[in-house]
Amino acid sequence: MITQSDDYFTKGCGRCGRFETPHCSVHLWGQGLAALRELCLEAGLTETVKWGHPCYQEGDRNIALLGAHRDSYVLTFCNAALLKDPEQILERAGPNTQTADLVRFKDVTEVQALAPTLKAYLAEAIAYARAGIKPVKTQAEFDLPDELIEALDSDPELAQAFHDLTPGRQRSYAIALGTTQNPATRLARIDKFRPKILRGKGALERE
């Protein structure tokens, strides 16, 4: 994965075989992603890279991430549970995501149309970060398979990444692993899911 933000906009995220090719989703939505980048920088946020994506921070708090898929590009708000969302533009990343945390775009001109609203949402998120306000964490109401518990116990990096997931994303892995009772199959799935967990993704989320 890329480690420099400029590389994202010129090459892609580096997480798939379309990296540095004309088929990369970042190139497809380049104009829209550049507009989102400009809004975040104009808001005074610091640009860095996390999980192969441009990440915008206020101090040490993550405020928003950019992402690109084949059919859309997104601005994902961190700690989105705090946002009031009066314009109802936030949507859930997947069916197991508890909080609506992203704005999805399917046209490169949509950012300009939504710019005033996006600026307001960024300002709200920045204000919470400066005040040290964080959303209340809800207790996950599901059981993790024994194989996943053992994998987390033996892999500190994976354990931390899994702990940092939203309850909805954690639940998505419990569901995905719970569809089989075969321990070997579960272990194989955990190995397959590991990169997605480290990237902060849920089991069913698109790359």
Side-chain angles (χ1 to χ4, degrees), residues 36-182:
L36 289 174
R37 182 190 200 187
E38 184 176 355
L39 284 179
C40 291
L41 294 177
E42 286 180 350
L45 296 172
T46 300
E47 185 179 68
T48 184
V49 172
K50 289 198 173 183
W51 311 290
H53 295 276
C55 177
Y56 299 89
Q57 298 180 311
E58 171 64 30
D60 61 353
R61 285 274 295 272
N62 298 332
I63 300 297
L65 291 161
L66 300 188
H69 310 291
R70 296 192 184 194
D71 64 345
S72 62
Y73 60 105
V74 299
L75 176 68
T76 300
F77 285 91
C78 307
N79 298 312
L82 294 171
L83 297 178
K84 298 180 179 66
D85 192 20
E87 302 300 325
Q88 297 293 295
I89 61 173
L90 297 178
E91 64 178 76
R92 300 174 191 273
N96 296 307
T97 305
Q98 290 192 342
T99 302
D101 61 358
L102 63 82
V103 186
R104 190 180 303 280
F105 305 90
K106 295 193 175 183
D107 188 281
V108 294
T109 63
E110 289 179 334
V111 175
Q112 183 177 0
L114 276 178
T117 299
L118 295 173
K119 288 179 181 179
Y121 282 35
L122 287 169
E124 182 184 356
I126 290 169
Y128 292 134
R130 289 176 177 171
I133 299 172
K134 296 182 179 180
V136 176
K137 284 193 173 183
T138 57
Q139 183 64 38
E141 297 181 355
F142 53 85
D143 294 324
L144 298 179
D146 291 341
E147 292 82 3
L148 179 56
I149 293 174
E150 292 174 4
L152 298 177
D153 287 343
S154 63
D155 188 336
E157 182 182 16
L158 183 64
Q160 183 60 54
F162 190 84
H163 174 76
D164 290 340
L165 294 176
T166 63
R169 290 188 173 101
Q170 292 179 356
R171 182 171 179 269
S172 72
Y173 288 105
I175 293 172
L177 295 171
T179 58
T180 178
Q181 299 301 314
N182 186 318

